Amino acid sequence: MDAILLQILNGLDKGSAYALIALGLTLIFGTLGVVNFAHGALFMIGAFCAVTLQRIFTISRTTVDESRTDFLGNPMEVDTPYLEIWFGPEFGAALIDWSVPLAILFAIPVMLLIGWIMERGLIKHFYKRPHADQILVTFGLAIVLQEIIKYFYGANPIPTPAPSAFAGSFDFGAALGFDPMTIIYPYWRLIYFAFAGLVIAGVFCFLQFTTFGMVVRAGMADRETVGLLGINIDKRFTIMFGIAAAVAGLAGVMYTPINSPNYHMGMDFLVLSFVVVVVGGMGSLPGAVLAGFLLGILESFASMNEIKSIIPGIDQIIIYLIAIVILLTRPRGLMGRKGVMED
Amino acid sequence: MSFRRQTRRGILKTGIAAGAGLALPTIFTARSASAFTNEPTGSSVTLGFNVPQSGPYADEGADELRAFELAVEHLNGEGDGGMMNTFSSKELTGEGILGKRVEYVTGDTQTKSDAARASARSMIEKDGAVMISGGSSSGVAVAVQGLCQEAGVIFMAGLTHSNDTTGKDRKANGFRHFFNAYQSGAALGPVLETLYGTDRKAYHLTADYTWGWTTQESMQAVTEDLGWETVNNVLTPLAATDFSSYITPILQSGADVLFLNHYGGNMVNSLTNAVQFGLKDAMAQTGKQFEIVVPLYSELMARGAGENIRGIPGSQNWDWKLENQLGERYRGTNVFTQSFGEKYGFPPSQAAHTCYVQTLLYADAVQRAGSFNPCAVVEALEDFEFDGLGNGPTLYRGADHQCLKDVVVTRGKENPDNEFDLVEIVEATPVEQVTYPPDHPMFAGGALGECNEGA
């Protein structure tokens, strides 16, 4: 029982990342009809927003400490962050410690801007081109973006820890009456799950309860009719592209303490997120979220030693197996509707 | 006397045959003109440095390339001469190799066997490289070593730690200075006994490829010899990024030591995940403090892992602090660190060190042999004993082309002074303790075969 609970918890945080990326992907596909293979790169750029803010916070004044020597035997140069000089060691250190949550505020405008530039500068020229062209150009863009990040930040993972207040794990085992230390779960992963829930709820509320959202939903269902009513749907869809980029970016920011960011992390999630979108139903927002969590949990269960001892290698293929089964039984995915996104 | 009439078809056939002949790779045609592949005939000789310039090990590759550049500088008499000043062999005089100026070309392995072979092939065929060196992965090393054997050039391996490189996949034209998984185990064993005792239960997470398998096999053998029990060994895919679902069952498995047989990004992620799940601070079901061991890690990986590496034992081929901390036996370390540090502004990694040393060793072997002929170089390197290159007295064993030398056991430093000081040296395990017979079962199944000079 405790092993099952653990894998459900594991699946929830993995599913959170899948759901957030797939949500943005399906938003772009549902509004603009574009298959955006650069979406994983947006997730990665979000993560590097956190790295960048951490680096900005740790810009330092260098002084020479004559009492110590560096590896060459020269007097050691000691760096003191300006934040600690300006605001005092305690408050300055606290700001640096909280750089990941604070990076959310930094990442939102950056990602909106990147999304807008991407859409206006490149992707809008491919609206009327075949999906194969869109895939090629966005995949190329993803490679360019990750090479740019590698040029500036290197290929090594960069540690970006969570605030020390959230270090450590919660003992679910003790709380639920099992043996202590049998079901432990890192605080930050719980925060990630809660954060994903908030973002997903925010996007749904925005689309469901605002006039802007209503127009976007109408445009997704029938773009031509909305256009005939005199509404500039293209402009709204551009804004939705920016929002989708921001969602991917926020997912990336909050993911950095879970796995140290590197330039390749977007590609690691991209293919799986596409499978999630297809399984959920192309263009279906609830489908993307549902499929994200479902596949995340199933992937976790497939990694259990008990399962792998029966079917070796199942953890590598489970998501694709489920995708095949669902597409065979429900060709439009879990929540895809007839006539939506079917040319 | 009769003349056959020339037809259009005949001319075409002749043209195609001549074109095909010209298009044949020089690797095959050169053999008839030269005594061996890419025999240098001008005033220079070309070496090929095949390192990961893209992909997950690009930073390690960049450090290897820096070391190669430094070695070439020193061989050509530029700079301060680095380890040439401390090397026990005095054949290298700073006048190139056999009087020929050293030039080099670089290739990108991408840490993919096929890409690495393609770039090595290009350097041999198009650029005339007479020796190939570098790399940061055992899969790549085994693949490129095989290619060099076929092509008739020398392969001086870079960072490759799998037993197979000088075990079942050993080749006559290939040489490894870096240590291997067996030696890691032999060095770590006594340290683990001191740190954690003889009654422990080990759980292994292992990268699912040649390096992971041999590392796990070596660590399991050495810990079981100590009296430890192996609870489980779980193979993890090389492409895995989140190891949480592999880590969560560990505390309930009854194990109290976790071995992360992972390298590079895999290791950074799996260690980060293990620390997040509290394994470093947890009490195991056995009532003992839970411990984590990473058999091989580099300074670059320690930087990626950040605070999580603190207190974690592992092993290294070399460390830039060796001579300062353990004395004259490791001479060469300081001059190399000085040379490298002054040129690039930071201390060299173990990958940089092994690549620099391999270049000097190759050049020295050519000098001693008096020829670039690969078979003469093989003969000069086999059973060559040397000192002054940072690892203490070393033997390039002829039976398997593996260097035998001390192994450095390290630990993540608890309170590092700066970002270059993340690991501390626990001990340097003497060479006698990490020496094994060439036909040891973990290295069985391979044969060096005959040296190939490409002629």
Side-chain angles (χ1 to χ4, degrees):
Chain A
M1 183 62 191
D2 44 359
I4 291 170
L5 270 173
L6 254 179
Q7 295 306 337
I8 290 175
L9 282 168
N10 275 336
L12 285 180
D13 76 63
K14 215 176 270 185
S16 303
Y18 293 156
L20 282 175
I21 300 175
L23 182 68
L25 263 176
T26 207
L27 256 180
I28 291 171
F29 189 78
T31 51
L32 300 167
V34 172
V35 183
N36 182 21
F37 261 65
H39 206 69
L42 293 171
F43 173 75
M44 178 267 296
I45 290 174
F48 276 88
C49 282
V51 174
T52 306
L53 191 72
Q54 190 189 45
R55 292 204 171 167
I56 292 171
F57 279 4
T58 48
I59 292 174
S60 303
R61 187 168 71 190
T62 304
T63 50
V64 175
D65 184 350
E66 299 283 352
S67 63
R68 293 152 72 196
T69 53
D70 67 6
F71 72 99
L72 290 173
N74 303 321
M76 185 173 277
E77 293 183 343
V78 180
D79 294 332
T80 313
Y82 281 107
L83 281 182
E84 293 185 15
I85 297 168
W86 294 335
F87 302 113
E90 278 183 22
F91 188 65
L95 277 175
I96 295 168
D97 189 35
W98 280 74
S99 61
V100 169
L102 290 171
I104 291 172
L105 303 174
F106 175 66
I108 290 173
V110 170
M111 296 310 297
L112 283 171
L113 183 69
I114 289 175
W116 184 79
I117 292 171
M118 234 167 105
E119 201 272 336
R120 290 289 90 188
L122 184 69
I123 290 176
K124 77 166 184 179
H125 303 294
F126 288 82
Y127 287 157
K128 294 193 167 58
R129 302 275 284 272
H131 285 325
D133 288 9
Q134 297 170 355
I135 289 171
L136 275 177
V137 76
T138 52
F139 193 69
L141 179 65
I143 292 171
V144 169
L145 289 173
Q146 73 175 30
E147 289 302 314
I148 290 172
I149 291 290
K150 195 175 86 180
Y151 178 79
F152 286 106
Y153 294 91
N156 249 4
I158 301 169
T160 319
S164 44
F166 300 118
S169 307
F170 181 70
D171 192 344
F172 275 102
L176 297 173
F178 295 101
D179 291 337
M181 297 305 285
T182 49
I183 312 175
I184 52 169
Y185 210 69
Y187 290 120
W188 189 259
R189 286 178 184 250
L190 293 171
I191 289 169
Y192 192 78
F193 174 57
F195 176 79
L198 273 176
V199 172
I200 291 165
V203 171
F204 275 90
C205 288
F206 179 69
L207 289 174
Q208 203 69 34
F209 303 121
T210 64
T211 313
F212 185 97
M214 187 181 69
V215 173
V216 169
R217 281 188 293 124
M220 284 169 78
D222 192 341
R223 183 188 184 121
E224 237 172 71
T225 308
V226 174
L228 288 172
L229 291 171
I231 296 169
N232 185 352
I233 193 70
D234 286 349
K235 190 179 165 191
R236 284 169 170 78
F237 280 177
T238 302
I239 294 170
M240 285 315 294
F241 192 99
I243 291 174
V247 169
L250 292 181
V253 168
M254 294 294 279
Y255 198 74
T256 53
I258 294 176
N259 273 336
S260 300
N262 67 76
Y263 75 101
H264 200 261
M265 66 190 293
M267 286 293 182
D268 299 335
F269 276 91
L270 181 72
V271 176
L272 289 174
S273 300
F274 261 98
V275 176
V276 168
V277 169
V278 173
V279 168
M282 294 296 282
S284 165
L285 301 181
V289 175
L290 177 70
F293 284 110
L294 179 71
L295 293 184
I297 291 170
L298 285 172
E299 195 185 11
S300 279
F301 274 105
S303 307
M304 288 173 75
N305 294 335
E306 293 81 357
I307 308 280
K308 280 170 61 179
S309 62
I310 301 168
I311 317 171
I314 185 70
D315 53 330
Q316 292 297 289
I317 55 167
I318 181 74
I319 284 192
Y320 306 102
L321 273 182
I322 298 292
I324 291 168
V325 170
I326 287 183
L327 291 179
L328 279 175
T329 52
R330 294 180 66 88
R332 292 185 187 90
L334 286 174
M335 299 184 79
R337 281 178 297 143
K338 191 177 180 182
V340 175
M341 295 301 141
E342 288 175 358
D343 294 324
Chain B
M1 194 172 171
S2 65
F3 293 95
R4 288 176 63 188
R5 197 168 162 230
Q6 296 290 321
T7 61
R8 186 178 61 89
R9 187 166 293 180
I11 291 169
L12 274 175
K13 278 180 184 171
T14 314
I16 290 167
L22 287 171
L24 260 182
T26 53
I27 191 173
F28 300 117
T29 56
R31 288 171 187 176
S32 56
S34 309
F36 54 89
T37 300
N38 294 335
E39 181 179 5
T41 50
S43 59
S44 65
V45 58
T46 304
L47 308 182
F49 300 139
N50 204 19
V51 305
Q53 297 180 47
S54 59
Y57 296 157
D59 284 356
E60 209 147 46
D63 221 33
E64 290 187 357
L65 213 45
R66 290 183 196 108
F68 282 131
E69 282 170 9
L70 193 65
V72 169
E73 253 183 52
H74 291 167
L75 288 172
N76 287 331
E78 296 153 14
D80 59 12
M83 279 187 183
M84 277 165 46
N85 300 312
T86 53
F87 190 14
S88 54
S89 171
K90 297 299 174 196
E91 294 286 334
L92 299 172
T93 55
E95 293 165 347
I97 309 175
L98 291 182
K100 292 181 190 294
R101 183 173 176 78
V102 181
E103 290 177 354
Y104 67 90
V105 288
T106 67
D108 182 7
T109 67
Q110 301 173 31
T111 314
K112 293 175 186 163
S113 299
D114 51 350
R117 280 176 69 97
S119 62
R121 182 180 290 276
S122 166
M123 288 190 286
I124 297 167
E125 292 177 359
K126 291 202 174 74
D127 304 310
V130 72
M131 178 274 269
I132 300 293
S133 185
S136 253
S137 145
S138 292
V140 162
V142 167
V144 176
Q145 183 165 260
L147 176 90
C148 289
Q149 178 70 32
E150 291 160 21
V153 299
I154 292 289
F155 176 62
M156 302 295 281
L159 195 157
T160 162
H161 186 248
S162 168
N163 292 341
D164 293 347
T165 311
T166 46
K168 77 175 178 58
D169 295 310
R170 68 181 77 149
K171 294 281 184 277
N173 285 36
F175 289 84
R176 168 160 67 177
H177 170 262
F178 207 73
F179 71 145
N180 56 44
Y182 172 88
Q183 293 175 314
S184 274
L188 271 170
V191 175
L192 294 180
E193 185 178 10
T194 309
L195 289 172
Y196 310 134
T198 54
D199 181 23
R200 284 285 189 165
K201 291 182 166 55
Y203 193 107
H204 292 256
L205 289 184
T206 303
D208 195 4
Y209 75 112
T210 171
W211 173 77
W213 305 329
T214 62
T215 302
Q216 192 279 329
E217 183 188 22
S218 303
M219 296 313 300
Q220 179 170 343
V222 79
T223 50
E224 286 181 355
D225 280 350
L226 294 177
W228 293 21
E229 182 190 333
T230 304
V231 174
N232 204 350
N233 173 36
V234 176
L235 297 178
T236 60
L238 198 54
T241 52
D242 185 8
F243 291 85
S244 54
S245 44
Y246 299 103
I247 283 169
T248 43
I250 295 172
L251 271 180
Q252 300 165 44
S253 68
D256 48 27
V257 179
L258 168 64
F259 281 86
L260 292 175
N261 303 306
H262 290 147
Y263 192 71
N266 264 191
M267 171 271 182
V268 170
N269 287 334
S270 63
L271 177 61
T272 304
N273 290 170
V275 173
Q276 280 168 1
F277 278 84
L279 259 57
K280 216 170 155 188
D281 308 314
M283 289 301 288
Q285 287 175 344
T286 56
K288 297 189 169 103
Q289 174 73 36
F290 203 94
E291 304 291 351
I292 302 173
V293 178
V294 179
L296 174 73
Y297 63 84
S298 67
E299 304 83 345
L300 289 168
M301 283 156 58
R303 226 175 288 168
E307 292 184 0
N308 300 325
I309 200 72
R310 292 184 182 178
I312 305 286
S315 62
Q316 288 192 7
N317 189 57
W318 174 85
D319 187 279
W320 64 270
K321 302 182 286 293
L322 261 177
E323 192 172 351
N324 285 342
Q325 294 186 12
L326 300 181
E328 178 65 7
R329 180 175 172 86
Y330 302 101
R331 71 180 175 280
T333 295
N334 282 353
V335 292
F336 177 56
T337 304
Q338 190 80 18
S339 252
F340 190 97
E342 279 180 359
K343 187 170 167 68
Y344 301 113
F346 46 84
S349 64
Q350 60 174 341
H353 171 257
T354 203
C355 288
Y356 178 92
V357 169
Q358 285 280 69
T359 312
L360 290 200
L361 284 170
Y362 170 78
D364 175 74
V366 173
Q367 287 283 148
R368 284 186 290 112
S371 166
F372 288 96
N373 186 317
C375 292
V377 176
V378 168
E379 206 179 317
L381 278 172
E382 282 182 343
D383 294 320
F384 175 51
E385 290 180 52
F386 59 94
D387 199 355
L389 293 183
N391 295 103
T394 305
L395 166 70
Y396 233 133
R397 185 161 65 183
D400 57 358
H401 295 185
Q402 171 68 54
C403 262
L404 299 176
K405 53 190 167 17
D406 298 355
V407 169
V408 187
V409 178
T410 55
R411 235 181 148 173
K413 202 167 183 179
E414 290 294 347
N415 295 303
D417 272 343
N418 55 63
E419 61 173 322
F420 308 123
D421 188 29
L422 297 175
V423 296
E424 62 185 1
I425 298 168
V426 176
E427 67 165 43
T429 308
V431 58
E432 299 76 27
Q433 201 176 308
V434 297
T435 300
Y436 55 90
D439 58 351
H440 187 283
M442 284 186 202
F443 297 81
L448 285 174
E450 290 296 314
C451 149
N452 180 15
E453 59 184 13

